[in-house]
Amino acid sequence: MSGKTAIAMSRTRAIFEILLCAALWSIAGIFMKLIPWSGFVIAGLRSAVAGAVMGVYMLARRQRLTFSMRSVLGGVMLAVVLTCFSVANKLTTAANAIVLQFTSPIWLMLLSALFLHKRFTRADIAAAVLTFFGIALFFADGLAAGRTAGNCVALLAGLAFGCYYICLGEGGDAERSSSVVIGNALTFLVGVPFLFTTQPVFTAQSVGLILLLGVVQLGVPYVLLARASGYCPPLVCSLLGALEPLLNPVWVAIFDGETPGPLALAGAAVVIATITAWCVRGGKRKEVGA
């Protein structure tokens, strides 16, 4: 078997693992809705399980836990993402929570321009304007029943995710894996006090769903991402997040009957289409320049 064929097979496997990762991430909304606990408790216990999964992976790969500036800051940002997303799922619709978190590429662009002195292109500016127009539609559709607060929390998750990518952009495998362990550990510590203040009722169903979320929805996807990131083509990596917001509200609508309103659907279409098109354009530009 030639080296070229081996590389091609590795990339094919990596593409499959990346897509599987996004698909597994997308089941968060439906299962979180079925657990009658505080979002903080769900986030903390889910992360306790997911962090253990990543720890086992690091032991198997003989990777050491690294406390560098990148891994620690990345871990803090990841903890904000995991906590805010879980809380947002209790305060707004699953569709709102995941699509607003999917604004992270735009936040990444803005933060890179501010702190890394990267220049805007006309396409970047157009993407930012259209994305925030889509966000405005979400807020217009979510003014009742506390959804504005949930939308704000979900938007914060998107901002933190953008910061996370900046922190780990140049990091190595050990730093990326360590940031996941650190982020999940911090999320667990944030959730611990709410175990005592909210006193959740532990049933076989809720415990089973937490284990499912921790292992299947969060832990395994991060292992897949760590395995595949070295082989996946840049364009596919850029489009990784697109599958998650498309599938998440589908599962919730099918299994929980929660359907977003017309303005939220319009906002979802604008946000997903804009960011996907922007990522495709950016990926093609990098491939041409390579």
Side-chain angles (χ1 to χ4, degrees), residues 28 33 51 125 134 181 233 271:
K33 293 290 185 183
I125 296 173
V181 173
V271 171

Side-chain angles (χ1 to χ4, degrees), residues 35-61:
I35 302 175
W37 298 347
S38 160
F40 288 101
V41 173
I42 293 174
L45 296 183
R46 178 183 68 150
S47 284
V49 178
V53 172
M54 180 55 75
V56 170
Y57 171 76
M58 291 183 70
L59 286 174
R61 294 293 302 272

